[in-house]
Amino acid sequence: MRLHPRHSWTVTPEEAVAIQKRLRAEIVSQPLDLDAVRLVAGVDVSVKENESQAAVVVATYPGFEPVETVLARAPTPFPYVPGLLSFREGPVLEEAFARLQSEPDVFLVDGMGTAHPRRMGIACHMGLWLERPTIGCGKTLLVGRFSDLPEERGAHVPLVHRGETIGAAVRTRARTNPMFISPGHLADIPSAVEMVMRCSPKWRLPEPIRLAHKAAGAFVPGGQASSPAPSS
DNA sequence: GCGACAG
DNA sequence: ATCTTGTCGC
């Protein structure tokens, strides 16, 4: 895919914060047309010692049959700092995105979108690079609070931070911990929640994220490669 | 000042 | 994120 970088990744934590504040103004919130989605991508990164491996798996929608898998590796360039995940995982993800042949209609990212202290989580950040719709899918809370959430699948309540609704706590599966969903770029909260529910017919993790997580975890020493899909 | 803190 | 077997519950 054609990428649209906005800055260098070689920055200090202070510069990273300043960059996020600047990029925040470029994020577009708008409904995502769910009925037009044909391809959905899952995005994840795994860290092994000082190396990071990114995985982007593109799958059909609905159906979630993998049609393209891209893996990329690079030295982990930045420490884990809550709020600055983009600067740790962004560089490898950029490599993976650059080699992507297909053009997914939406990307589900493992991490936050606007549910971030400066409303600029990694899903927002990558959305700008891709200039495509992105949705942040967090497994644990970074910021914000939410009230009682029913145990049934599909239940969802607003995630609020400093008086602002930044996303939603979503029960993608009955009686399991909720997922924290927030729009990245070119999406809004209602459509992001709906998309994630449609991508989670059975498990807590959305199907595209599950596929990407599996691919990223499969660290094969010499086996970095791009491929159509595993053949049965 | 103290606690919280995506992956 | 990562270190790791068995095990409780639907």
Side-chain angles (χ1 to χ4, degrees):
Chain A
M1 281 201 64
R2 304 278 191 289
L3 295 185
H4 308 268
R6 303 291 204 283
H7 60 78
S8 159
W9 291 115
T10 310
V11 299
T12 63
E14 295 68 32
E15 294 171 326
V17 169
I19 286 170
Q20 290 181 326
K21 291 178 178 175
R22 173 164 63 75
L23 295 181
R24 173 73 192 107
E26 295 189 45
I27 297 301
V28 173
S29 174
Q30 63 177 38
L32 203 186
D33 183 0
L34 304 180
D35 298 320
V37 176
R38 296 290 178 276
L39 290 178
V40 59
V43 177
D44 189 33
V45 174
S46 69
V47 179
K48 286 277 190 297
E49 293 168 3
N50 293 316
E51 272 220 324
S52 289
Q53 174 157 295
V56 177
V57 177
V58 181
T60 57
Y61 173 88
F64 310 110
E65 290 300 329
V67 296
E68 182 181 7
T69 297
V70 174
L71 297 179
R73 279 188 188 187
T76 307
F78 203 85
Y80 170 69
V81 179
L84 299 181
L85 187 63
S86 299
F87 296 83
R88 180 175 171 83
E89 303 189 344
V92 227
L93 284 175
E94 183 177 281
E95 287 191 29
F97 290 145
R99 290 161 39 200
L100 207 55
Q101 297 301 303
S102 48
E103 300 197 332
D105 298 297
V106 56
F107 290 77
L108 300 197
V109 181
D110 195 332
M112 301 303 180
T114 57
H116 175 279
R118 289 169 292 281
R119 314 295 182 255
M120 196 59 210
I122 191 167
C124 297
H125 215 127
M126 294 300 98
L128 292 178
W129 260 234
L130 295 161
E131 287 193 353
R132 288 246 156 194
T134 53
I135 294 172
C137 305
K139 298 181 292 297
T140 61
L141 207 49
L142 174 58
V143 291
R145 298 181 23 160
F146 62 101
S147 55
D148 307 293
L149 180 63
E151 295 291 328
E152 312 87 67
R153 191 189 102 87
H156 55 91
V157 294
L159 224 196
V160 179
H161 179 57
R162 298 185 183 177
E164 184 181 354
T165 296
I166 57 177
V170 182
R171 197 82 75 181
T172 50
R173 182 176 187 175
R175 294 171 296 284
T176 62
N177 294 324
M179 289 293 295
F180 300 98
I181 306 305
S182 55
H185 187 40
L186 301 173
D188 63 6
I189 296 175
S191 54
V193 169
E194 180 60 26
M195 184 73 226
V196 167
M197 281 311 301
R198 293 194 192 184
C199 286
S200 314
K202 183 170 184 181
W203 307 104
R204 177 185 182 235
L205 278 298
E207 220 53 44
I209 297 280
R210 284 167 43 90
L211 293 169
H213 193 69
K214 217 179 281 187
F219 246 92
V220 184
Q224 172 180 191
S226 177
S227 69
S231 56
S232 66

